[in-house]
Amino acid sequence: MDIFSSHPLYRKHDLDSAMSSMWAFYKNRFIVLFISSFIMSLGIQLFTLMFDFSEFMNLTDPMEMLNKLRGMIWPMAAISLVSLLCITILHYYVIFNPVDNEVTIFISAYKSLRYYIPYLIIMVLFSVFASLALIFGLFVLVIGVVFAMLYIMTIYLFFMPILMIEGPDIANAISRTFTLAHRGFWSNIGWVAVFFVIILIASMILNALIMIPFTGSYIKSLTDPDEALNAMNFMQNPLYITLSAMASALFYPLIPILGTILYFNGKAREEQVNISDQDLTTLP
């Protein structure tokens, strides 16, 4: 853990320092993060086009929709596996590059594979927990669902930094995740909420601008079913795919950066508490 004390994101944070540290880190490594994220996003979108999801939009019969959905399980699983691999690579780069200049995005691509299987297993287990949390949230309507989603995302963000820094022990990663996420619980959830509100607004504006040449109106494509159906067609346009991948690449690296900030903040606070406890035990 000593090598990470020099990491630019390692410190006790408040909301202001967390956001400023994220921006500084992102800005200093923008070219690498953007280009690699663009390639990943473009690859995922092209991979998604291999599967025909447009038929699902035309179905009205519940049984047909269910049967079609069953047929989409494997394509969606494949897309999820690719997405998890991409985020694993970015996490490795964000965590290790600042403390080891030899860690490039290419080195991250293969060294991160050590953590991919444990991460995948945790995600499978976590999906069960997340589903239960969302079901519980439904019982308290909209506020409960929003809170459950924020809680799920907060927990999720801790997994990969813990796996990579403290070792790929699945049981330890799960235990440590809940320990650190619940320490400073409200500040962690608050930071995640602020982050995703900003990202949501920014991505909606950017997507609206991207869709104007294809639909003429972003709002119309959301409110008009016919326009929404046409959207499935222009989403196969190479120009749209490229622009959409570039938009995703702007926000994609921010998730591992935020996760690293949350972890280092929790770890720094934990170490401070341990030092204080040691000082108390040495008092006469």
Side-chain angles (χ1 to χ4, degrees), residues 79-93:
I79 293 169
S80 298
L81 289 174
V82 174
S83 299
L84 282 178
L85 178 60
C86 292
I87 202 69
T88 302
I89 295 170
L90 284 178
H91 264 102
Y92 192 94
Y93 179 80

Side-chain angles (χ1 to χ4, degrees), residues 178-205:
F178 281 93
T179 298
L180 290 178
H182 289 164
R183 181 177 289 134
F185 178 77
W186 292 110
S187 62
N188 287 335
I189 282 190
W191 295 1
V192 172
V194 171
F195 172 79
F196 279 101
V197 167
I198 294 172
I199 294 301
L200 180 63
I201 294 173
S203 61
M204 286 182 65
I205 294 173

Side-chain angles (χ1 to χ4, degrees), residues 88 91 95 115 119 156-165:
T88 302
H91 264 102
I95 291 172
Y115 306 96
Y119 186 48
Y156 162 77
L157 288 169
F158 278 90
F159 281 127
M160 187 55 80
I162 290 174
L163 277 174
M164 291 187 170
I165 295 172

Side-chain angles (χ1 to χ4, degrees), residues 92-159:
Y92 192 94
Y93 179 80
V94 167
I95 291 172
F96 288 98
N97 172 262
V99 296
D100 185 354
N101 291 329
E102 294 183 359
V103 175
T104 63
I105 194 68
F106 301 106
I107 290 176
S108 300
Y110 75 85
K111 283 197 171 182
S112 63
L113 294 177
R114 177 190 178 196
Y115 306 96
Y116 180 64
I117 298 301
Y119 186 48
L120 178 60
I121 294 172
I122 289 175
M123 286 298 98
V124 172
L125 298 174
F126 183 63
S127 65
V128 177
F129 170 79
S131 299
L132 294 175
L134 287 174
I135 291 172
F136 176 78
L138 288 173
F139 286 108
V140 284
L141 301 178
V142 177
I143 295 177
V145 173
V146 172
F147 180 82
M149 291 176 66
L150 288 174
Y151 176 67
I152 290 166
M153 183 54 65
T154 301
I155 296 295
Y156 162 77
L157 288 169
F158 278 90
F159 281 127

Side-chain angles (χ1 to χ4, degrees), residues 22-269:
M22 179 187 296
W23 171 246
F25 187 93
Y26 182 57
K27 182 177 62 175
N28 291 338
R29 293 168 175 80
F30 175 77
I31 294 177
V32 173
L33 290 173
F34 176 77
I35 292 176
S36 56
S37 296
F38 171 70
I39 294 172
M40 292 174 185
S41 299
L42 185 61
I44 291 172
Q45 292 204 33
L46 292 175
F47 184 66
T48 303
L49 290 177
M50 295 172 60
F51 310 103
D52 186 11
F53 293 101
S54 60
E55 293 181 11
F56 189 78
M57 302 290 293
N58 298 320
L59 299 177
T60 55
D61 182 65
M63 293 304 298
E64 287 186 35
M65 293 176 68
L66 184 60
N67 291 331
K68 186 64 179 177
L69 191 60
R70 287 173 180 169
M72 290 181 178
I73 289 177
W74 291 114
M76 289 190 293
I79 293 169
S80 298
L81 289 174
V82 174
S83 299
L84 282 178
L85 178 60
C86 292
I87 202 69
T88 302
I89 295 170
L90 284 178
H91 264 102
Y92 192 94
Y93 179 80
V94 167
I95 291 172
F96 288 98
N97 172 262
V99 296
D100 185 354
N101 291 329
E102 294 183 359
V103 175
T104 63
I105 194 68
F106 301 106
I107 290 176
S108 300
Y110 75 85
K111 283 197 171 182
S112 63
L113 294 177
R114 177 190 178 196
Y115 306 96
Y116 180 64
I117 298 301
Y119 186 48
L120 178 60
I121 294 172
I122 289 175
M123 286 298 98
V124 172
L125 298 174
F126 183 63
S127 65
V128 177
F129 170 79
S131 299
L132 294 175
L134 287 174
I135 291 172
F136 176 78
L138 288 173
F139 286 108
V140 284
L141 301 178
V142 177
I143 295 177
V145 173
V146 172
F147 180 82
M149 291 176 66
L150 288 174
Y151 176 67
I152 290 166
M153 183 54 65
T154 301
I155 296 295
Y156 162 77
L157 288 169
F158 278 90
F159 281 127
M160 187 55 80
I162 290 174
L163 277 174
M164 291 187 170
I165 295 172
E166 300 188 11
D169 183 319
I170 294 174
N172 176 70
I174 294 174
S175 173
R176 289 284 293 153
T177 290
F178 281 93
T179 298
L180 290 178
H182 289 164
R183 181 177 289 134
F185 178 77
W186 292 110
S187 62
N188 287 335
I189 282 190
W191 295 1
V192 172
V194 171
F195 172 79
F196 279 101
V197 167
I198 294 172
I199 294 301
L200 180 63
I201 294 173
S203 61
M204 286 182 65
I205 294 173
L206 193 55
N207 285 326
L209 295 174
I210 290 173
M211 292 178 70
I212 287 174
F214 303 96
T215 64
S217 172
Y218 177 64
I219 302 298
K220 187 178 179 181
S221 67
L222 294 177
T223 57
D224 188 340
D226 293 332
E227 288 293 333
L229 190 58
N230 291 333
M232 298 299 296
N233 296 324
F234 75 71
M235 284 180 180
Q236 299 181 12
N237 186 304
L239 177 59
Y240 175 81
I241 293 172
T242 303
L243 292 175
S244 180
M246 292 177 68
S248 298
L250 288 173
F251 305 115
Y252 206 41
L254 295 176
I255 294 176
I257 296 174
L258 176 62
T260 305
I261 287 174
L262 288 171
Y263 170 75
F264 280 146
N265 173 67
K267 185 64 179 176
R269 291 180 182 276

